[in-house]
Amino acid sequence: MKIRYLGVAVAMAMMLATQAVPAQSSPTRMAAVPSIANMDYSPDPAIEAIPAQPDPTMVPKANPTGKYNAYDLNVYETFWFPERQPGDETTDDPPGGAVTHGTCPEGGCPNHALEFGKFWKKLMGPLVKPFGGVVHSYKFHSAGSGTPDGAPLNSPEGDTYNLQAIIPGDTHPEQMVVVSGHYDQTDSGPASAWDSAEGHATVFRIAKIMTDYWKKTGTRPDASVKFTAWSAEEAGSFGSEAFIRDNLMPFPNTSVRGYFNLDPCAGAYPAYYRGNPAYRVAMVMQLGDPAKQISPIDKKEFEDFNEQARGIVGDVFNHLDDTLSDVPTEPEIFISDEEAEKAGVASQESEVVTAVGGLAAFSSDYANFEAVGIPILNLFPDMFGPHTDKSWTGYRSDGASTVHTPQDNVKTLNALTGIDQSGLTPSQGWYKGLELCAHLHSWFMLQPNMGGAVKNSTKPVAYFEAYGGTAPLAAKKPVTFDAGGSHAFTSAKGTSLVPASKLHYSWKFGDGTKATGKKVKHAYKKNGNYSAVLTLKTPSGIDTMTVLIHIG
């Protein structure tokens, strides 16, 4: 989460708003009947106690439960990669380096951005590969925050990478949903367990829930699903800006059905402030403002998306049943309106407070997507409000003094949301909040008008991306056409993929030239729009994908 500066990316947003293509309601092929019962609820981490010092050897495994538990991943990352900044030039820095939780030695911790990227791709790959998915990193240059090295809120200038794991959609691979949390942090906030290690740690958990759902139901997504970790958010949301400019906007026929942001998410409901049953911390569900949309189509799309979001909260609360056993009263959590009416108790759906529009003091990557007409969902703890009508708001000073400081660490967050004020006991309020965030996002993204779920078949899926070293794509400059992600299953069970040796790729670039191969390069001689076509031939059939490439 970055400090909001007036005028950030305004010119870019105005330019892109005229180019954005609204998401479309698409027909599904053999659509599966969605059932939230097929989503696994597994909030409990393997980590039972936090070491007094952030020693990486004390947390040797990132995913010990095999469930991609967001709490375990958060602790692992903040111990192993406490510094993740643009400008990293080495890939073999030793893990760790923090001298205490949230504090690096004089001169800083080693920059672990590239090491984190390797870790992220290695861990995400096995989740998406069974669906023909691929993992990419997209290089761009961050201008930095413009503040001196070591200064508060500093984010350095330098080359860096967005990370993305992609599962191509069965019916509409050119349409997509995107979910992300940024992985960079500022000089004044190493470790950043809250802002925002917990964000992209939860993206891992979302990917696990969704891929398990598709496996269990014998389905795959209707539209492409992109699990992402942005870089350079703290400098000005430059990572998501680069993605929209370089990897999305050159394709005017590409559509984003919804953007889901985690920066941060938990640390609120179902947690009680410092474990005190008198002081519940609400969660805010931020949605895009339809009134800010110029296009009537975009305005209606935002209104429909926002209405659907509130229904998702009720669905998830109906599905989840749990208590906080580390709070003296052992309160029930996730009580929906429907459950409350049946049991004659108070509903807790109101603890997820709807807020249309952004925060006054902070912003995040969602702003770039909202600016180009894409509906957004951003859950965050009500530590920065006010967004509720509660009279007691003492926790907000704690929240504001934690972000972008050495206090933003695992130990502090456990104390802020739990009984044990040493911070060395994992807080149930926090880790069950992380799981709630994962379920809310996953269930929304699985809806038929989002990522969806259609029955597996042997129908091939042609998918490609086109990207270059310049933005926008320019005449006489090579464009890479990458068909990674094109795939077919050997049977309708969807348990194995057709070997790469039996896939044939042929290209027509729209300017009279052709090529073959999975990954090729082509330079257009003149500026203009070109319809590039990939034809994928497999033993079970042929599929094509057409993308309008804008050059110049």
Side-chain angles (χ1 to χ4, degrees):
M1 183 178 291
K2 66 181 179 64
I3 299 294
R4 182 187 290 278
Y5 295 100
L6 293 177
V8 171
V10 170
M12 175 191 166
M14 292 177 65
M15 175 190 73
L16 295 182
T18 63
Q19 303 179 47
V21 176
Q24 304 167 9
S25 296
S26 59
T28 56
R29 181 191 59 78
M30 298 176 63
V33 178
S35 172
I36 199 169
N38 289 313
M39 293 198 338
D40 172 51
Y41 178 62
S42 299
D44 298 330
I47 294 172
E48 297 180 351
I50 301 299
Q53 298 299 327
D55 181 356
T57 63
M58 300 297 290
V59 187
K61 294 183 180 180
N63 182 30
T65 65
K67 297 284 189 177
Y68 287 77
N69 180 275
Y71 185 90
D72 287 336
L73 286 164
N74 189 322
V75 175
Y76 181 90
E77 176 186 325
T78 57
F79 280 30
W80 281 67
F81 314 114
E83 187 90 359
R84 305 169 302 279
Q85 297 270 32
D88 190 9
E89 297 179 349
T90 56
T91 60
D92 56 355
D93 291 314
V99 291
T100 60
H101 290 278
T103 305
C104 289
E106 185 176 353
C109 294
N111 191 346
H112 288 112
L114 293 179
E115 289 82 3
F116 171 77
K118 290 168 62 177
F119 156 79
W120 191 93
K121 289 187 283 187
K122 181 179 179 181
L123 202 62
M124 190 65 80
L127 290 175
V128 301
K129 187 176 180 180
F131 299 91
V134 290
V135 179
H136 282 311
S137 57
Y138 302 95
K139 184 178 180 179
F140 69 97
H141 187 80
S142 171
S145 59
T147 53
D149 291 347
L153 304 181
N154 179 62
S155 178
E157 180 183 3
D159 289 341
T160 188
Y161 297 85
N162 288 328
L163 309 171
Q164 196 162 81
I166 305 156
I167 298 180
D170 172 273
T171 316
H172 290 285
E174 80 286 357
Q175 298 180 22
M176 69 187 77
V177 292
V178 181
V179 60
S180 178
H182 70 89
Y183 68 89
D184 65 307
Q185 32 64 245
T186 63
D187 285 0
S188 53
S192 63
W194 203 11
D195 181 18
S196 186
E198 76 155 49
H200 52 270
T202 308
V203 172
F204 277 116
R205 178 63 184 146
I206 292 169
K208 176 62 173 172
I209 291 173
M210 294 180 71
T211 52
D212 280 354
Y213 179 96
W214 289 316
K215 288 178 182 177
K216 188 173 183 178
T217 58
T219 60
R220 52 181 167 175
D222 168 61
S224 296
V225 178
K226 300 194 171 187
F227 305 103
T228 309
W230 305 126
S231 184
E233 188 271 349
E234 297 293 5
S237 297
F238 293 148
S240 54
E241 182 180 280
F243 172 77
I244 293 172
R245 180 193 66 217
D246 302 346
N247 308 114
L248 176 65
M249 296 315 296
F251 314 145
N253 60 333
T254 301
S255 169
V256 181
R257 296 180 176 184
Y259 174 67
F260 301 83
N261 200 65
L262 296 107
D263 179 27
C265 182
Y269 178 85
Y272 290 89
Y273 174 65
R274 299 197 179 277
N276 188 332
Y279 301 133
R280 170 86 82 186
V281 182
M283 179 181 289
V284 177
M285 182 172 66
Q286 181 190 341
L287 300 165
D289 188 353
K292 293 182 180 179
Q293 298 306 307
I294 299 173
S295 163
I297 296 175
D298 288 348
K299 182 177 180 179
K300 181 63 166 59
E301 184 186 358
F302 272 55
E303 290 171 346
D304 291 346
F305 183 95
N306 293 357
E307 182 179 356
Q308 187 176 9
R310 285 307 314 177
I312 295 296
V313 174
D315 287 347
V316 172
F317 272 49
N318 274 331
H319 172 55
L320 303 182
D321 291 300
D322 206 343
T323 61
L324 293 184
S325 60
D326 63 346
V327 174
T329 56
E330 297 193 5
E332 287 188 67
I333 53 177
F334 313 136
I335 301 175
S336 70
D337 291 346
E338 181 180 330
E339 291 170 326
E341 184 176 358
K342 290 179 180 178
V345 297
S347 171
Q348 294 174 348
E349 278 193 48
S350 62
E351 301 292 352
V352 182
V353 182
T354 301
V356 176
L359 292 167
F362 297 93
S363 184
S364 186
D365 294 293
Y366 60 78
N368 288 329
F369 286 87
E370 185 178 6
V372 295
I374 296 166
I376 62 99
L377 171 69
N378 184 57
L379 292 164
F380 59 88
D382 189 20
M383 289 284 188
F384 314 105
H387 293 282
T388 73
D389 59 1
K390 292 184 176 180
S391 59
W392 190 85
T393 57
Y395 53 76
R396 292 199 179 105
S397 59
D398 251 351
S401 64
T402 297
V403 175
H404 296 297
T405 75
Q407 290 295 102
D408 189 352
N409 61 65
V410 172
K411 185 178 174 182
T412 298
L413 264 292
N414 281 327
L416 195 63
T417 59
I419 290 289
D420 182 3
Q421 292 304 290
S422 75
L424 301 180
T425 303
S427 159
Q428 285 189 25
W430 189 21
Y431 66 69
K432 291 183 178 180
L434 290 168
E435 184 76 351
L436 172 64
C437 290
H439 277 251
L440 282 167
H441 285 83
S442 297
W443 185 232
F444 202 161
M445 293 172 66
L446 284 166
Q447 296 306 298
N449 62 326
M450 292 291 125
V454 296
K455 288 294 185 182
N456 286 330
S457 73
T458 57
K459 169 189 171 293
V461 175
Y463 177 83
F464 76 92
E465 296 188 12
Y467 46 89
T470 59
L473 302 179
K476 300 181 181 179
K477 298 290 185 180
V479 178
T480 299
F481 290 82
D482 188 348
S486 295
H487 67 279
F489 289 125
T490 57
S491 73
K493 293 182 179 180
T495 54
S496 61
L497 295 167
V498 173
S501 60
K502 293 186 178 181
L503 303 180
H504 181 267
Y505 313 86
S506 60
W507 303 86
K508 293 181 179 179
F509 298 115
D511 60 354
T513 59
K514 303 177 182 180
T516 60
K518 182 177 180 180
K519 188 175 182 178
V520 299
K521 290 188 177 183
H522 176 68
Y524 291 93
K525 294 181 179 180
K526 298 179 180 180
N527 289 340
N529 292 327
Y530 300 88
S531 292
V533 182
L534 166 68
T535 299
L536 174 70
K537 294 182 179 180
T538 75
S540 60
I542 298 174
D543 191 34
T544 63
M545 181 178 181
T546 303
V547 172
L548 185 62
I549 307 296
H550 180 72
I551 303 295

